[in-house]
Amino acid sequence: MSSEIAPPVSVDAGDPPAVKIDGVAKSFSGTVALEPVWLKIRRGEFLTLLGPSGCGKTTLLNLIAGFLEADAGELFIGDELVTQVPPHKREIGIVFQNYALFPHMNVAQNVAYGLRTRRVSRAETRQRVREALDLVKLGDFADRRPRQLSGGQQQRVALARALVIRPRVLLLDEPFSALDRNLRTAMQVELKEIQSRLGLTTVFVTHDQSEALSMSDRIAVMSRGRIRQIGSPSEIYDRPQSRFVSTFVGDANLFAADLLGRDAGAASLDVGGTRTSLATYQDECPAPGPVTLVVRPEQCALTAAGEPGTVPATVALSVYQGSYAELYLDCPAAEGGRAMLRVPASEALAAGTTVGIRLPDTGPAVFAREDEGAAA
Amino acid sequence: MKKSLTDHILDCTGRIVIALILAFVLLPFVVVATASLNDSAILSFPPKSISLRWYANVFEYRDFGEGLVNSLKVAAIGAAIAVVAGAGFAYVLDRYDFAFKATLNGILMSSLVIPNFTIGLGLLILSAAAALPRSIWLVVTVHVIIVLPFVVRSVYVSLRNFEKRYEQAAESLGGTPGHVLLTITLPLLMPGLVSGALFAAILSFNEFTASLFVVNQSTQTLPVAMYNYVREYADPTLAAMSVIYVAVVAAALLVVHKIFRLEKVLNVE
């Protein structure tokens, strides 16, 4: 599998990258946190580091910020080599998960901190603090203490504090995870708006795949200290290059299948006794033998039981979700015996109904069975 | 839901035990406070007739006044030195890894194990050998040695609980390490430093054993003055002194509480 991002990355034409990560690696007392990583972040790009906890995404963020020193490799911000540059000289804005607002300062003093360190004049400081607070719609809160603010307001202050110094790169470390769901969505929209209006190069760390899909220009999916795949949200969702990526981003039904052969992009498969042939987007396909067939729920269709060419299944549970229902199916051909499909709420079926799952002609992917070990 | 009989008995027993323990904690003070009001010149309990004359005597007895001044000097200077040195050691222990870290920690904590009279005796022998005068600085030195472990612990705990993201945020905003220390770390550690200094001052103010070895007539601290008094007289003056003593320490705590909120200073929030 070519899931690893190796040195010869695709060369970006035109502008030099805003951030260039050149073989940067990090271990903590012998445990590898980050394998050597090569990555170029474009100017004005919103790049997300997505992965489960312990995948190395936060380590990479801390390396970009300068809180950690790389064991190997080089890091550039713009044209400047910053591998050895301490954090206070990197001109980077950061918003942390818990915001880390200075509790002994009011909102205006928090926002002004980065201007004080730069010895900006009083008049200009006042002006820029006001602009930054207006930008995050907190113009009237300058005199409040952080603990007097709600979670969403604290986050806006943290954002204003990071933006007021006009950072070269904005780093976001799981900034939404402490917010409740409605507020989270509103803040995501707001942040994205500000980010694209200012054309800010942004690196966003999250373990939440839906957050990553909705906000990013590009997503780097990470696991076990490696970048598994980089691409636009639709590339990641529609054309995952490994079983790990396909299951970590979005829902996926996994079928244990036998790859019988491949001919002109169409793979013929035996899925639990059902013969089917489908076109995959993959350039490389595993050798014939046992494989895992990955199909998104929306790529599957439900048919009456026993239709030729369909995979037999039985409805186990129907979960009402408002506009649609999730049908959980007992399916012997699926890995773990379970598959899931979404149907309009009006077409939900009772538990015990036997059905057939029609697999799509194009779209899904097959991965060698040994790739399973790479998950997690 | 109805409580069973066993629960009731346990509940009552628990309350009684707690009441007894609290009574025992307060008992010495109650006895001394009552005895201080005794009109007769004998330390007896309970008093036969009531008088405040022993309180007047406290203020007339010169050694107590001088002892108080000495004690306050020693406590203030000692606590100040201990908190600066202790904070430095705590910072080093928290932030750096080095070869003899465990040893350093052990040495800093050693005066918890070494009895106070050993420390007093040691310094007495040392000062005699070095022909140093038995000045107030000798007393201060002894007190710093005794209170240092408490200060180091207190500041170390505050540092361990310190959210390092504050420092990282400040650094990312362009704060040099020194600037971050002054504008972020120190202000946020203030409760820990104040609690350390407060404990140091109270411990020093109460210290008797080690002080006994290193003071002379002009540098004797209040507890030593009180000890010398009780060797000569057995009247309730000392009981009155004790009550004043408690009142002064309580007042100091109250002031700190008003300024800093005691729960925060004592790290029990």
Side-chain angles (χ1 to χ4, degrees):
Chain A
M1 290 306 307
S2 61
S3 57
E4 217 174 298
I5 305 302
V9 255
S10 59
V11 181
D12 302 285
D15 274 354
V19 178
K20 190 167 98 180
I21 297 159
D22 236 359
V24 167
K26 182 72 189 172
S27 304
F28 294 107
S29 46
T31 310
V32 176
L34 190 69
E35 305 270 0
V37 161
W38 285 264
L39 177 63
K40 283 177 181 170
I41 303 168
R42 301 178 193 124
R43 233 165 259 285
E45 182 176 38
F46 194 112
L47 179 109
T48 298
L49 303 176
L50 171 68
S53 60
C55 72
K57 58 190 192 297
T58 305
T59 303
L60 184 52
L61 185 95
N62 284 329
L63 285 162
I64 299 174
F67 301 141
L68 293 175
E69 220 172 293
D71 298 337
E74 286 179 338
L75 188 83
F76 295 86
I77 296 176
D79 294 330
E80 189 194 348
L81 175 65
V82 296
T83 319
Q84 303 292 332
V85 174
H88 67 270
K89 289 182 185 155
R90 290 199 182 187
E91 291 177 55
I92 278 178
I94 303 185
V95 178
F96 289 114
Q97 185 174 356
N98 58 5
Y99 318 132
L101 298 179
F102 309 133
H104 58 303
M105 298 181 190
N106 67 23
V107 167
Q109 289 165 331
N110 262 282
V111 177
Y113 190 89
L115 299 174
R116 293 268 157 75
T117 61
R118 284 168 173 71
R119 305 191 190 286
V120 172
S121 75
R122 267 168 192 273
E124 193 190 336
T125 299
R126 210 172 305 131
Q127 170 75 14
R128 279 168 71 174
V129 166
R130 193 177 314 124
E131 282 170 12
L133 287 177
D134 286 342
L135 183 72
V136 297
K137 300 174 192 154
L138 280 180
D140 300 332
F141 290 75
D143 298 328
R144 301 275 187 96
R145 290 268 165 171
R147 66 169 178 282
Q148 297 171 306
L149 304 177
S150 71
Q153 290 166 338
Q154 288 186 27
Q155 176 168 64
R156 287 160 197 235
V157 177
L159 185 61
R161 185 177 69 177
L163 293 180
V164 78
I165 62 169
R166 294 166 189 159
R168 295 190 284 184
V169 183
L170 179 64
L171 304 181
L172 305 169
D173 185 10
E174 308 234 7
F176 303 114
S177 52
L179 302 177
D180 65 51
R181 198 175 156 177
N182 289 334
L183 188 57
R184 187 183 304 187
T185 316
M187 285 307 298
Q188 284 168 0
V189 172
E190 205 175 312
L191 176 68
K192 184 67 192 169
E193 259 174 22
I194 292 173
Q195 184 268 337
S196 49
R197 180 144 40 101
L198 302 181
L200 261 174
T201 308
T202 303
V203 180
F204 174 53
V205 161
T206 184
H207 63 270
D208 183 323
Q209 45 106 4
S210 71
E211 229 166 63
L213 289 173
S214 65
M215 298 190 71
S216 317
D217 295 323
R218 276 196 306 163
I219 300 173
V221 185
M222 298 182 69
S223 83
R224 293 179 166 185
R226 286 164 193 264
I227 294 178
R228 298 282 156 183
Q229 189 174 345
I230 299 184
S232 69
S234 67
E235 277 166 358
I236 297 285
Y237 184 81
D238 294 331
R239 302 165 67 90
Q241 297 299 321
S242 66
R243 181 192 148 118
F244 170 78
V245 173
S246 66
T247 54
F248 192 77
V249 181
D251 295 311
N253 290 315
L254 307 179
F255 295 98
D258 258 322
L259 180 62
L260 306 171
R262 194 170 188 238
D263 179 33
S268 30
L269 292 160
D270 180 326
V271 185
T274 308
R275 287 291 197 90
T276 183
S277 169
L278 39 81
T280 73
Y281 53 80
Q282 293 160 294
D283 301 327
E284 291 170 46
C285 205
V291 291
T292 299
L293 171 68
V294 179
V295 194
R296 298 285 182 207
E298 64 272 17
Q299 293 174 324
C300 299
L302 216 54
T303 67
E307 287 253 338
T310 65
V311 180
T314 311
V315 177
L317 182 69
S318 167
V319 177
Y320 180 67
Q321 295 282 12
S323 59
Y324 63 92
E326 284 172 350
L327 291 184
Y328 289 88
L329 308 169
D330 283 331
C331 175
E335 283 181 16
R338 241 324 130 76
M340 191 269 282
L341 265 73
R342 294 196 184 89
V343 295
S346 56
E347 292 168 29
L349 297 169
T353 316
T354 54
V355 295
I357 301 172
R358 183 177 302 287
L359 299 172
D361 301 331
T362 79
V366 290
F367 299 113
R369 205 69 74 75
E370 2 358 313
D371 193 32
E372 286 166 32
Chain B
M1 211 163 57
K2 206 171 169 285
K3 274 188 185 173
S4 73
L5 185 64
T6 334
D7 279 348
H8 259 299
I9 293 172
L10 280 176
D11 201 36
C12 285
T13 325
R15 282 163 196 271
I16 292 167
V17 168
I18 289 167
L20 281 176
I21 292 172
L22 290 180
F24 254 87
V25 169
L26 290 175
L27 193 63
F29 180 68
V30 172
V31 170
V32 169
T34 319
S36 73
L37 298 169
N38 196 344
D39 188 40
S40 74
I42 303 156
L43 260 176
S44 67
F45 185 82
K48 304 225 162 29
S49 59
I50 303 293
S51 157
L52 284 176
R53 66 192 180 107
W54 306 114
Y55 284 86
N57 197 30
V58 166
F59 291 101
E60 280 157 19
Y61 191 68
R62 265 193 50 206
D63 276 11
F64 285 168
E66 285 168 9
L68 177 66
V69 171
N70 283 336
S71 273
L72 289 176
K73 262 194 218 163
V74 171
I77 301 169
I81 295 174
V83 88
V84 171
F89 280 123
Y91 192 83
V92 169
L93 285 174
D94 179 56
R95 297 298 169 89
Y96 300 100
D97 267 316
F98 46 91
F100 299 103
K101 188 167 171 169
T103 318
L104 175 66
N105 199 15
I107 292 172
L108 285 171
M109 295 302 130
S110 65
S111 60
L112 288 174
V113 195
I114 299 171
N116 287 8
F117 64 81
T118 311
I119 295 170
L121 184 60
L123 264 284
L124 175 66
I125 296 170
L126 203 64
S127 69
L132 289 172
R134 289 172 81 181
S135 70
I136 195 109
W137 293 104
L138 186 60
V139 187
V140 169
T141 308
V142 168
H143 283 216
V144 167
I145 293 171
I146 289 169
V147 302
L148 197 59
F150 297 95
V151 180
V152 172
R153 274 295 123 181
S154 163
V155 180
Y156 183 77
V157 168
S158 312
L159 273 170
R160 281 274 112 166
N161 295 332
F162 185 76
E163 175 57 83
K164 306 224 172 10
R165 288 291 194 203
Y166 290 133
E167 293 173 331
Q168 294 186 335
E171 279 177 64
S172 77
L173 293 167
T176 59
H179 185 71
V180 172
L181 183 70
L182 289 179
T183 56
I184 305 293
T185 318
L186 274 180
L188 292 178
L189 283 180
M190 213 28 100
L193 295 176
V194 171
S195 87
L198 187 67
F199 275 128
I202 291 176
L203 284 171
S204 158
F205 198 63
N206 285 334
E207 211 293 321
F208 165 70
T209 324
S211 308
L212 188 61
F213 287 88
V214 290
V215 298
N216 61 17
Q217 181 59 35
S218 68
T219 62
Q220 68 177 346
T221 57
L222 191 52
V224 177
M226 288 164 73
Y227 169 73
N228 287 335
Y229 185 89
V230 84
R231 288 207 303 179
E232 289 180 46
Y233 315 97
D235 61 40
T237 305
L238 212 59
M241 181 71 243
S242 304
V243 173
I244 295 169
Y245 208 106
V246 170
V248 167
V249 173
L253 283 174
L254 205 67
V255 169
V256 174
H257 178 61
K258 281 280 176 235
I259 302 173
F260 291 105
R261 296 197 52 233
L262 201 58
E263 292 87 349
K264 216 176 163 188
V265 170
L266 297 180
N267 277 321
V268 292
E269 211 170 25

